[in-house]
Amino acid sequence: SQQGEEDPQALSIQEGENATMNCSYKTSINNLQWYRQNSGRGLVHLILIRSNEREKHSGRLRVTLDTSKKSSSLLITASRAADTASYFCATAQTNAGKSTFGDGTTLTVKP
Amino acid sequence: GAVVSQHPSWVICKSGTSVKIECRSLDFQATTMFWYRQFPKQSLMLMATSNEGSKATYEQGVEKDKFLINHASLTLSTLTVTSAHPEDSSFYICSARDPVGFGNTIYFGEGSWLTVV
């Protein structure tokens, strides 16, 4: 079964607002990555956070990781219409060595 | 940073033919690579784990004879969809594990779109 679960499944906001997506996972991980996928396109790597890190920033993106709760969040600040896409988290599992994806959050940013 | 390259990005093939997708780690040696499949509007599902020099490990429900995986070198894994049918049309993506450094980081390719007509 898939390792991760994301919520919400769908999120619709106005341009300029912040968007927060959450990812929960089940097993111990080495790192967690967030990806964006525009409709009909491939994956675009956004950010990687390692298991010994708690927070990471990249431009308008802020990622947190709570290994005790086995969860991560992705915050997009001052959203733009171009941020409209599906967002996935992918975990690199410690023991199995696999990396599996969450179900994804579909973000719609209305201009 | 490390890069994983997939080729081709897009491929159209006729029903009944076979098609090969390549996954290369460009600046690191990957003893382990992974193949995923994505159905429309769904998440990516792990199909198999490809180990250099040995047989791939397939996830439950994935047909080994249908999806042939060959990890011939430390930088190349291939996925061959044999006797393709329209229902095999999908987005296929690979990832490769960099064993050097902290946490065995896994890097993903950009994916390959397969359309079987």
Side-chain angles (χ1 to χ4, degrees), chain B residues 85-110:
Chain B
H85 291 281
E87 56 264 31
D88 298 325
S89 299
S90 194
F91 179 64
Y92 294 89
I93 189 169
C94 72
S95 66
R97 183 164 63 198
D98 183 355
V100 178
F102 179 83
N104 289 325
T105 303
I106 296 177
Y107 299 94
F108 288 86
E110 292 189 347

Side-chain angles (χ1 to χ4, degrees), chain A residues 97-109:
Chain A
K98 299 179 183 180
S99 186
T100 54
F101 285 86
D103 293 331
T105 294
T106 300
L107 173 66
T108 302
V109 181

Side-chain angles (χ1 to χ4, degrees), chain B residues 23-72:
Chain B
C23 179
R24 294 180 185 274
S25 56
L26 297 185
D27 53 4
F28 65 97
Q29 293 185 329
T31 54
T32 306
M33 292 185 175
F34 306 91
W35 286 96
Y36 303 79
R37 178 176 182 177
Q38 184 182 36
F39 292 100
K41 298 187 178 182
Q42 295 188 27
S43 187
L44 292 91
M45 301 297 296
L46 180 64
M47 297 174 66
T49 301
S50 169
N51 300 298
E52 188 269 335
S54 64
K55 292 182 179 180
T57 303
Y58 290 81
E59 296 297 303
Q60 191 173 4
V62 178
E63 298 177 61
K64 301 178 182 180
D65 296 331
K66 175 73 172 176
F67 301 99
L68 299 180
I69 292 172
N70 186 352
H71 196 150

